Amino acid sequence: SGTSPFGSGLWAVDRDGSDQRQLIDLWYLPARPGMRTLPWTWRLHSVVADGSNDVLVHGVVVNNNEVVEISLARLDTTSGRTRNLSEGAPDHVFRWIVDRDGRPAAVTTLREGRFGAYLKSPSGPGWERWQDADAYGGDYADPYAVAPDGQLLALHPYGYTSFIVDL
């Protein structure tokens, strides 16, 4: 066929094993009208614990074979519909940290040798800059998870210290 596998693909199936459906293409395919699959540049981010049929997926934006940004969306595994969660996020996001319900809590960015971390604003749809440092050798806290009690967990990039941040 001339194509080679490049993506991870994603499929869903009902609990009883019926209704298998593809959610993310395994490799590059031209647009197919009527097909409700995401392109191969999307991957599973995480499963949410809110009782819905949704999962979180992230899409990689590549320019000249370099990842320049990662988008986040909520994907309904039954209908294939997505809801963009990236709107209003800072540019050049390369990691999304979400809470148990799949709500974005923090993002990290990387651009021109600078590391940035942003926290989701508690008072609205915006983001507040939390960290800005030299990405290579800088002193900063790198967020990696939201604990069940809602606190953001972060690590020093060289493993010296861990941090807990109240959101």
Side-chain angles (χ1 to χ4, degrees):
S1 70
T3 60
S4 61
F6 192 81
S8 61
L10 184 65
W11 289 261
V13 64
D14 290 348
R15 287 181 194 259
D16 65 4
S18 65
D19 196 21
Q20 178 181 346
R21 56 209 169 272
Q22 187 170 5
L23 302 171
I24 298 177
D25 291 329
L26 185 57
W27 51 69
Y28 170 78
L29 293 171
R32 299 168 294 160
M35 294 298 290
R36 212 180 256 276
T37 58
L38 291 171
W40 62 270
T41 54
W42 286 81
R43 309 278 190 283
L44 177 67
H45 176 279
S46 57
V47 176
V48 294
D50 66 355
S52 72
N53 292 321
D54 296 354
V55 295
L56 298 184
V57 292
H58 60 261
V60 178
V61 177
V62 178
N63 187 6
N64 294 327
N65 292 327
E66 183 178 335
V67 174
V68 294
E69 189 162 74
I70 298 175
S71 300
L72 186 70
R74 193 171 177 113
L75 170 64
D76 183 321
T77 62
T78 304
S79 70
R81 289 190 175 93
T82 59
R83 185 167 53 99
N84 181 10
L85 299 178
S86 301
E87 193 166 324
D91 292 333
H92 306 285
V93 170
F94 74 93
R95 186 170 348 141
W96 289 85
I97 291 75
V98 298
D99 67 15
R100 293 177 52 142
D101 293 327
R103 291 184 301 259
V107 295
T108 57
T109 63
L110 184 62
R111 173 146 190 190
E112 297 176 350
R114 300 295 298 172
F115 170 87
Y118 296 78
L119 303 178
K120 187 76 169 132
S121 173
S123 61
W127 294 84
E128 298 172 2
R129 182 185 295 264
W130 176 50
Q131 302 279 308
D132 179 29
D134 180 4
Y136 310 103
D139 189 26
Y140 56 88
D142 189 0
Y144 70 91
V146 176
D149 65 2
Q151 293 184 317
L152 179 68
L153 306 177
L155 291 174
H156 189 277
Y158 307 109
Y160 303 139
T161 311
S162 58
F163 302 88
I164 298 176
V165 180
D166 288 321
L167 295 178

